[in-house]
Amino acid sequence: MNDIATPGSTIETARLLLSPLNETHAGDFESLFRNDWEAIKQTGQIPFPATKEAMQIWIAKCSIPGSHAFCVSTKVNGQSIGVVGFGGSHAISELGYILGRAFWGQGYATEAVKAMVGLARSFGLGGLQAYSFVENPASARVLEKAGFSNMGTIVREYPKRGGMRRVMHFRTIL
Ligand SMILES: CC(C)(COP(=O)(O)OP(=O)(O)OC[C@H]1O[C@@H](n2cnc3c(N)ncnc32)[C@H](O)[C@@H]1OP(=O)(O)O)[C@@H](O)C(=O)NCCC(=O)NCCS
């Protein structure tokens, strides 16, 4: 297993491969998320509808220095199941993730998030943070299972999700 990764390398966990995100993943993401507003609305930035073209633009925006985004696929058959990553302009990098609905409830998000924690640690980052809309207990549970602490509820601006929103703020110290 490759828990200590250099930037740009694929990470292997027990059941998953996390491959650095690139434009070729856009078609897979269209298949996974395209019209699933109920899933997409829980993220801050994923475009809706998640067409291949929209996802290509989103992937390009993720591909900036300091951003570490990965296509999540299963080792058993190589199928893409979602995306996970961290980055951003704040002192503590922000984590995000989404899986295709067919793959929920099997512990995959927790496994992928734990891999991100290991990667951030291997980069020498001091911590990671994440925000979960208060209406999204599944995401909060993923963060708790991955060792994040709930710092409380705050209000934060999400221009693509209706403006000011109440979110649970999670943080982990590395
Ligand atoms: C959130 C998401 C990534 C979770 O993926 P997943 O692979 O199903 O997550 P896991 O299986 O690792 O863990 C989910 C946990 O949430 C729990 N859960 C699911 N729905 C829940 C609910 N309505 N209330 C409380 N807990 C819930 C599960 O029981 C599980 O906890 P457990 O292992 O203690 O039983 C997935 O639902 C998703 O992609 N949602 C849309 C996008 C999103 O919310 N992204 C996060 C933005 S911050």
Side-chain angles (χ1 to χ4, degrees), residues 41-64:
K41 75 177 185 183
Q42 301 296 354
T43 70
Q45 298 289 342
I46 303 260
F48 182 82
T51 61
K52 184 175 177 182
E53 294 71 25
M55 292 309 295
Q56 279 171 337
I57 293 167
W58 179 79
I59 289 168
K61 284 185 187 162
C62 292
S63 307
I64 56 171

Side-chain angles (χ1 to χ4, degrees), residues 58-77:
W58 179 79
I59 289 168
K61 284 185 187 162
C62 292
S63 307
I64 56 171
S67 173
H68 306 281
F70 298 83
C71 175
V72 181
S73 59
T74 58
K75 280 160 80 169
V76 65
N77 62 8

Side-chain angles (χ1 to χ4, degrees), residues 25 28 36-37 41 65 67 70-71 74 83 85 92 103 106 108 112 147 152 158 166 168-169:
H25 297 124
D28 289 349
D36 195 347
W37 171 240
K41 75 177 185 183
S67 173
F70 298 83
C71 175
T74 58
V83 57
I92 303 178
F103 303 97
Q106 299 172 63
Y108 286 139
Y158 289 85
R166 292 180 69 233
M168 288 172 274
H169 181 202

Side-chain angles (χ1 to χ4, degrees), residues 39 42-43 97-99 103-110 131-132 136-139 141-142 145:
Q42 301 296 354
T43 70
Y97 42 88
I98 180 171
L99 297 187
F103 303 97
W104 293 3
Q106 299 172 63
Y108 286 139
T110 305
Y131 299 88
S132 180
N136 191 4
S139 178
R141 180 75 188 123
V142 166
K145 287 196 293 178

Side-chain angles (χ1 to χ4, degrees), residues 21-165:
L21 201 58
N22 66 59
E23 271 198 16
T24 66
H25 297 124
D28 289 349
F29 295 156
E30 178 178 42
S31 307
L32 288 167
F33 313 129
R34 184 180 171 118
N35 291 317
D36 195 347
W37 171 240
E38 292 303 312
I40 288 174
K41 75 177 185 183
Q42 301 296 354
T43 70
Q45 298 289 342
I46 303 260
F48 182 82
T51 61
K52 184 175 177 182
E53 294 71 25
M55 292 309 295
Q56 279 171 337
I57 293 167
W58 179 79
I59 289 168
K61 284 185 187 162
C62 292
S63 307
I64 56 171
S67 173
H68 306 281
F70 298 83
C71 175
V72 181
S73 59
T74 58
K75 280 160 80 169
V76 65
N77 62 8
Q79 182 175 10
S80 299
I81 65 168
V83 57
V84 66
F86 61 85
S89 55
H90 296 282
I92 303 178
S93 288
E94 184 174 339
L95 174 77
Y97 42 88
I98 180 171
L99 297 187
R101 186 174 288 275
F103 303 97
W104 293 3
Q106 299 172 63
Y108 286 139
T110 305
E111 193 167 320
V113 167
K114 284 181 175 173
M116 290 298 97
V117 171
L119 182 65
R121 187 178 289 118
S122 76
F123 288 167
L125 299 189
L128 280 179
Q129 58 185 340
Y131 299 88
S132 180
F133 292 126
V134 292
E135 308 85 3
N136 191 4
S139 178
R141 180 75 188 123
V142 166
L143 293 165
E144 283 167 2
K145 287 196 293 178
F148 284 69
S149 302
N150 188 339
M151 310 302 289
T153 300
I154 61 166
V155 175
R156 199 164 179 248
E157 187 166 19
Y158 289 85
K160 296 181 175 140
R161 300 292 184 256
M164 301 306 284
R165 298 284 304 275

